[in-house]
mmCIF file of all heavy atoms in Angstrom:
data_model
loop_
_atom_site.group_PDB
_atom_site.id
_atom_site.type_symbol
_atom_site.label_atom_id
_atom_site.label_comp_id
_atom_site.label_asym_id
_atom_site.label_seq_id
_atom_site.Cartn_x
_atom_site.Cartn_y
_atom_site.Cartn_z
ATOM 1 N N GLN H 182 102.266 144.137 128.719
ATOM 2 C CA GLN H 182 101.126 143.423 129.265
ATOM 3 C C GLN H 182 99.838 143.779 128.530
ATOM 4 O O GLN H 182 99.811 144.671 127.681
ATOM 5 C CB GLN H 182 101.022 143.719 130.764
ATOM 6 C CG GLN H 182 102.269 143.257 131.514
ATOM 7 C CD GLN H 182 102.340 143.737 132.944
ATOM 8 O OE1 GLN H 182 101.899 144.837 133.261
ATOM 9 N NE2 GLN H 182 102.919 142.918 133.811
ATOM 10 N N GLY H 183 98.771 143.055 128.848
ATOM 11 C CA GLY H 183 97.520 143.218 128.138
ATOM 12 C C GLY H 183 96.944 144.615 128.182
ATOM 13 O O GLY H 183 96.260 145.051 127.251
ATOM 14 N N ASP H 184 97.194 145.348 129.262
ATOM 15 C CA ASP H 184 96.665 146.707 129.394
ATOM 16 C C ASP H 184 97.581 147.764 128.764
ATOM 17 O O ASP H 184 97.337 148.960 128.873
ATOM 18 C CB ASP H 184 96.406 147.043 130.854
ATOM 19 C CG ASP H 184 97.679 147.010 131.707
ATOM 20 O OD1 ASP H 184 98.767 146.735 131.156
ATOM 21 O OD2 ASP H 184 97.580 147.242 132.924
ATOM 22 N N GLY H 185 98.654 147.305 128.116
ATOM 23 C CA GLY H 185 99.574 148.221 127.460
ATOM 24 C C GLY H 185 100.750 148.650 128.301
ATOM 25 O O GLY H 185 101.709 149.232 127.790
ATOM 26 N N SER H 186 100.714 148.376 129.590
ATOM 27 C CA SER H 186 101.820 148.738 130.474
ATOM 28 C C SER H 186 102.968 147.741 130.307
ATOM 29 O O SER H 186 102.804 146.660 129.743
ATOM 30 C CB SER H 186 101.356 148.772 131.926
ATOM 31 O OG SER H 186 100.973 147.473 132.356
ATOM 32 N N LEU H 187 104.123 148.133 130.826
ATOM 33 C CA LEU H 187 105.289 147.252 130.806
ATOM 34 C C LEU H 187 105.468 146.611 132.169
ATOM 35 O O LEU H 187 105.142 147.212 133.197
ATOM 36 C CB LEU H 187 106.544 148.041 130.435
ATOM 37 C CG LEU H 187 106.532 148.774 129.100
ATOM 38 C CD1 LEU H 187 107.858 149.495 128.887
ATOM 39 C CD2 LEU H 187 106.247 147.818 127.952
ATOM 40 N N GLY H 188 106.006 145.407 132.177
ATOM 41 C CA GLY H 188 106.260 144.727 133.428
ATOM 42 C C GLY H 188 107.485 143.840 133.336
ATOM 43 O O GLY H 188 107.971 143.542 132.237
ATOM 44 N N LEU H 189 107.993 143.435 134.470
ATOM 45 C CA LEU H 189 109.111 142.502 134.556
ATOM 46 C C LEU H 189 108.610 141.198 135.151
ATOM 47 O O LEU H 189 107.994 141.194 136.218
ATOM 48 C CB LEU H 189 110.223 143.080 135.437
ATOM 49 C CG LEU H 189 110.942 144.301 134.874
ATOM 50 C CD1 LEU H 189 111.786 144.975 135.956
ATOM 51 C CD2 LEU H 189 111.827 143.918 133.678
ATOM 52 N N VAL H 190 108.847 140.096 134.447
ATOM 53 C CA VAL H 190 108.421 138.786 134.937
ATOM 54 C C VAL H 190 109.582 137.813 134.815
ATOM 55 O O VAL H 190 110.396 137.918 133.901
ATOM 56 C CB VAL H 190 107.194 138.245 134.166
ATOM 57 C CG1 VAL H 190 105.991 139.150 134.355
ATOM 58 C CG2 VAL H 190 107.499 138.070 132.684
ATOM 59 N N THR H 191 109.664 136.902 135.757
ATOM 60 C CA THR H 191 110.671 135.849 135.677
ATOM 61 C C THR H 191 109.992 134.519 135.404
ATOM 62 O O THR H 191 108.842 134.295 135.791
ATOM 63 C CB THR H 191 111.487 135.740 136.981
ATOM 64 O OG1 THR H 191 110.598 135.570 138.086
ATOM 65 C CG2 THR H 191 112.339 136.976 137.190
ATOM 66 N N THR H 192 110.710 133.655 134.703
ATOM 67 C CA THR H 192 110.229 132.302 134.461
ATOM 68 C C THR H 192 111.298 131.320 134.915
ATOM 69 O O THR H 192 112.490 131.640 134.898
ATOM 70 C CB THR H 192 109.919 132.065 132.975
ATOM 71 O OG1 THR H 192 111.092 132.341 132.179
ATOM 72 C CG2 THR H 192 108.766 132.951 132.505
ATOM 73 N N GLN H 193 110.865 130.156 135.310
ATOM 74 C CA GLN H 193 111.782 129.139 135.812
ATOM 75 C C GLN H 193 112.245 128.234 134.680
ATOM 76 O O GLN H 193 111.477 127.925 133.757
ATOM 77 C CB GLN H 193 111.083 128.301 136.892
ATOM 78 C CG GLN H 193 112.026 127.643 137.887
ATOM 79 C CD GLN H 193 112.634 128.637 138.861
ATOM 80 O OE1 GLN H 193 112.024 129.639 139.195
ATOM 81 N NE2 GLN H 193 113.841 128.350 139.325
ATOM 82 N N ASP H 194 113.484 127.831 134.737
ATOM 83 C CA ASP H 194 114.037 126.861 133.801
ATOM 84 C C ASP H 194 113.835 127.320 132.355
ATOM 85 O O ASP H 194 114.340 128.341 131.968
ATOM 86 C CB ASP H 194 113.451 125.482 134.069
ATOM 87 C CG ASP H 194 113.789 124.980 135.472
ATOM 88 O OD1 ASP H 194 114.856 125.353 135.984
ATOM 89 O OD2 ASP H 194 112.975 124.249 136.065
ATOM 90 N N ALA H 195 113.065 126.569 131.542
ATOM 91 C CA ALA H 195 112.903 126.902 130.127
ATOM 92 C C ALA H 195 111.624 127.662 129.820
ATOM 93 O O ALA H 195 111.375 128.025 128.672
ATOM 94 C CB ALA H 195 112.940 125.627 129.287
ATOM 95 N N GLU H 196 110.816 127.924 130.809
ATOM 96 C CA GLU H 196 109.515 128.559 130.569
ATOM 97 C C GLU H 196 109.683 129.925 129.906
ATOM 98 O O GLU H 196 110.651 130.643 130.166
ATOM 99 C CB GLU H 196 108.751 128.720 131.877
ATOM 100 C CG GLU H 196 108.238 127.416 132.455
ATOM 101 C CD GLU H 196 107.114 126.799 131.626
ATOM 102 O OE1 GLU H 196 106.389 127.563 130.932
ATOM 103 O OE2 GLU H 196 106.951 125.575 131.654
ATOM 104 N N ASN H 197 108.702 130.290 129.071
ATOM 105 C CA ASN H 197 108.765 131.573 128.380
ATOM 106 C C ASN H 197 107.369 132.063 127.996
ATOM 107 O O ASN H 197 106.390 131.315 128.121
ATOM 108 C CB ASN H 197 109.685 131.477 127.154
ATOM 109 C CG ASN H 197 109.159 130.554 126.082
ATOM 110 O OD1 ASN H 197 107.955 130.421 125.879
ATOM 111 N ND2 ASN H 197 110.064 129.907 125.365
ATOM 112 N N PRO H 198 107.253 133.308 127.524
ATOM 113 C CA PRO H 198 105.946 133.858 127.173
ATOM 114 C C PRO H 198 105.301 133.222 125.942
ATOM 115 O O PRO H 198 104.101 133.410 125.720
ATOM 116 C CB PRO H 198 106.241 135.345 126.915
ATOM 117 C CG PRO H 198 107.476 135.623 127.713
ATOM 118 C CD PRO H 198 108.277 134.371 127.579
ATOM 119 N N VAL H 199 106.065 132.515 125.129
ATOM 120 C CA VAL H 199 105.459 131.802 123.996
ATOM 121 C C VAL H 199 104.598 130.664 124.518
ATOM 122 O O VAL H 199 103.470 130.454 124.062
ATOM 123 C CB VAL H 199 106.547 131.260 123.039
ATOM 124 C CG1 VAL H 199 105.924 130.412 121.932
ATOM 125 C CG2 VAL H 199 107.347 132.403 122.443
ATOM 126 N N ALA H 200 105.115 129.936 125.498
ATOM 127 C CA ALA H 200 104.364 128.837 126.103
ATOM 128 C C ALA H 200 103.283 129.342 127.050
ATOM 129 O O ALA H 200 102.266 128.681 127.244
ATOM 130 C CB ALA H 200 105.320 127.906 126.854
ATOM 131 N N SER H 201 103.502 130.507 127.631
ATOM 132 C CA SER H 201 102.561 131.088 128.592
ATOM 133 C C SER H 201 102.261 132.530 128.178
ATOM 134 O O SER H 201 102.780 133.481 128.768
ATOM 135 C CB SER H 201 103.141 131.051 130.007
ATOM 136 O OG SER H 201 103.445 129.729 130.410
ATOM 137 N N PRO H 202 101.424 132.721 127.147
ATOM 138 C CA PRO H 202 101.183 134.071 126.617
ATOM 139 C C PRO H 202 100.552 135.029 127.611
ATOM 140 O O PRO H 202 100.618 136.240 127.411
ATOM 141 C CB PRO H 202 100.267 133.820 125.413
ATOM 142 C CG PRO H 202 99.714 132.454 125.602
ATOM 143 C CD PRO H 202 100.731 131.683 126.365
ATOM 144 N N GLU H 203 99.959 134.484 128.677
ATOM 145 C CA GLU H 203 99.384 135.365 129.690
ATOM 146 C C GLU H 203 100.443 136.214 130.384
ATOM 147 O O GLU H 203 100.122 137.213 131.050
ATOM 148 C CB GLU H 203 98.607 134.549 130.726
ATOM 149 C CG GLU H 203 99.442 133.656 131.623
ATOM 150 C CD GLU H 203 99.781 132.293 131.020
ATOM 151 O OE1 GLU H 203 99.473 132.083 129.822
ATOM 152 O OE2 GLU H 203 100.363 131.459 131.729
ATOM 153 N N LEU H 204 101.715 135.845 130.232
ATOM 154 C CA LEU H 204 102.801 136.623 130.826
ATOM 155 C C LEU H 204 102.983 137.970 130.130
ATOM 156 O O LEU H 204 103.523 138.906 130.707
ATOM 157 C CB LEU H 204 104.111 135.836 130.763
ATOM 158 C CG LEU H 204 104.190 134.557 131.595
ATOM 159 C CD1 LEU H 204 105.491 133.819 131.307
ATOM 160 C CD2 LEU H 204 104.062 134.867 133.077
ATOM 161 N N GLY H 205 102.557 138.057 128.879
ATOM 162 C CA GLY H 205 102.715 139.288 128.117
ATOM 163 C C GLY H 205 103.552 139.059 126.870
ATOM 164 O O GLY H 205 104.053 137.959 126.616
ATOM 165 N N HIS H 206 103.696 140.109 126.083
ATOM 166 C CA HIS H 206 104.488 140.047 124.849
ATOM 167 C C HIS H 206 105.937 140.412 125.185
ATOM 168 O O HIS H 206 106.193 141.517 125.670
ATOM 169 C CB HIS H 206 103.922 141.024 123.817
ATOM 170 C CG HIS H 206 104.605 140.943 122.481
ATOM 171 N ND1 HIS H 206 104.064 140.263 121.412
ATOM 172 C CD2 HIS H 206 105.790 141.448 122.050
ATOM 173 C CE1 HIS H 206 104.881 140.363 120.377
ATOM 174 N NE2 HIS H 206 105.932 141.071 120.743
ATOM 175 N N PRO H 207 106.896 139.522 124.928
ATOM 176 C CA PRO H 207 108.283 139.798 125.337
ATOM 177 C C PRO H 207 108.950 140.867 124.485
ATOM 178 O O PRO H 207 108.803 140.889 123.258
ATOM 179 C CB PRO H 207 108.975 138.442 125.157
ATOM 180 C CG PRO H 207 108.182 137.758 124.077
ATOM 181 C CD PRO H 207 106.760 138.198 124.287
ATOM 182 N N LEU H 208 109.681 141.749 125.158
ATOM 183 C CA LEU H 208 110.464 142.782 124.489
ATOM 184 C C LEU H 208 111.964 142.537 124.632
ATOM 185 O O LEU H 208 112.731 142.826 123.721
ATOM 186 C CB LEU H 208 110.139 144.164 125.067
ATOM 187 C CG LEU H 208 108.668 144.573 125.180
ATOM 188 C CD1 LEU H 208 108.567 146.014 125.679
ATOM 189 C CD2 LEU H 208 107.938 144.404 123.862
ATOM 190 N N LEU H 209 112.367 142.034 125.784
ATOM 191 C CA LEU H 209 113.769 141.744 126.095
ATOM 192 C C LEU H 209 113.817 140.560 127.037
ATOM 193 O O LEU H 209 112.856 140.294 127.755
ATOM 194 C CB LEU H 209 114.436 142.932 126.797
ATOM 195 C CG LEU H 209 114.627 144.240 126.039
ATOM 196 C CD1 LEU H 209 114.999 145.348 127.028
ATOM 197 C CD2 LEU H 209 115.701 144.100 124.973
ATOM 198 N N VAL H 210 114.970 139.884 127.075
ATOM 199 C CA VAL H 210 115.154 138.848 128.092
ATOM 200 C C VAL H 210 116.602 138.820 128.563
ATOM 201 O O VAL H 210 117.534 139.016 127.782
ATOM 202 C CB VAL H 210 114.732 137.455 127.577
ATOM 203 C CG1 VAL H 210 115.702 136.909 126.522
ATOM 204 C CG2 VAL H 210 114.597 136.472 128.731
ATOM 205 N N CYS H 211 116.759 138.610 129.859
ATOM 206 C CA CYS H 211 118.075 138.426 130.482
ATOM 207 C C CYS H 211 118.161 136.995 130.989
ATOM 208 O O CYS H 211 117.286 136.548 131.741
ATOM 209 C CB CYS H 211 118.252 139.416 131.631
ATOM 210 S SG CYS H 211 119.827 139.274 132.500
ATOM 211 N N ASP H 212 119.170 136.286 130.565
ATOM 212 C CA ASP H 212 119.377 134.894 130.970
ATOM 213 C C ASP H 212 119.899 134.860 132.408
ATOM 214 O O ASP H 212 120.932 135.457 132.717
ATOM 215 C CB ASP H 212 120.395 134.239 130.027
ATOM 216 C CG ASP H 212 120.503 132.734 130.194
ATOM 217 O OD1 ASP H 212 120.039 132.208 131.223
ATOM 218 O OD2 ASP H 212 121.053 132.084 129.290
ATOM 219 N N LEU H 213 119.191 134.166 133.287
ATOM 220 C CA LEU H 213 119.598 134.073 134.691
ATOM 221 C C LEU H 213 120.201 132.719 135.053
ATOM 222 O O LEU H 213 120.473 132.467 136.227
ATOM 223 C CB LEU H 213 118.398 134.381 135.598
ATOM 224 C CG LEU H 213 117.786 135.780 135.462
ATOM 225 C CD1 LEU H 213 116.629 135.952 136.437
ATOM 226 C CD2 LEU H 213 118.839 136.863 135.676
ATOM 227 N N TRP H 214 120.403 131.858 134.058
ATOM 228 C CA TRP H 214 121.107 130.607 134.337
ATOM 229 C C TRP H 214 122.568 130.929 134.660
ATOM 230 O O TRP H 214 123.159 131.844 134.094
ATOM 231 C CB TRP H 214 121.046 129.682 133.122
ATOM 232 C CG TRP H 214 119.713 129.020 132.894
ATOM 233 C CD1 TRP H 214 118.526 129.620 132.594
ATOM 234 C CD2 TRP H 214 119.462 127.617 132.920
ATOM 235 N NE1 TRP H 214 117.540 128.687 132.437
ATOM 236 C CE2 TRP H 214 118.082 127.438 132.632
ATOM 237 C CE3 TRP H 214 120.254 126.486 133.151
ATOM 238 C CZ2 TRP H 214 117.493 126.179 132.576
ATOM 239 C CZ3 TRP H 214 119.662 125.238 133.089
ATOM 240 C CH2 TRP H 214 118.293 125.078 132.807
#
Side-chain angles (χ1 to χ4, degrees):
Q182 299 170 326
D184 62 1
S186 65
L187 302 180
L189 292 167
V190 297
T191 55
T192 57
Q193 205 73 30
D194 299 330
E196 289 291 333
N197 66 33
V199 175
S201 301
E203 68 276 7
L204 294 174
H206 185 100
L208 310 184
L209 294 167
V210 70
C211 179
D212 190 344
L213 299 181
W214 285 64

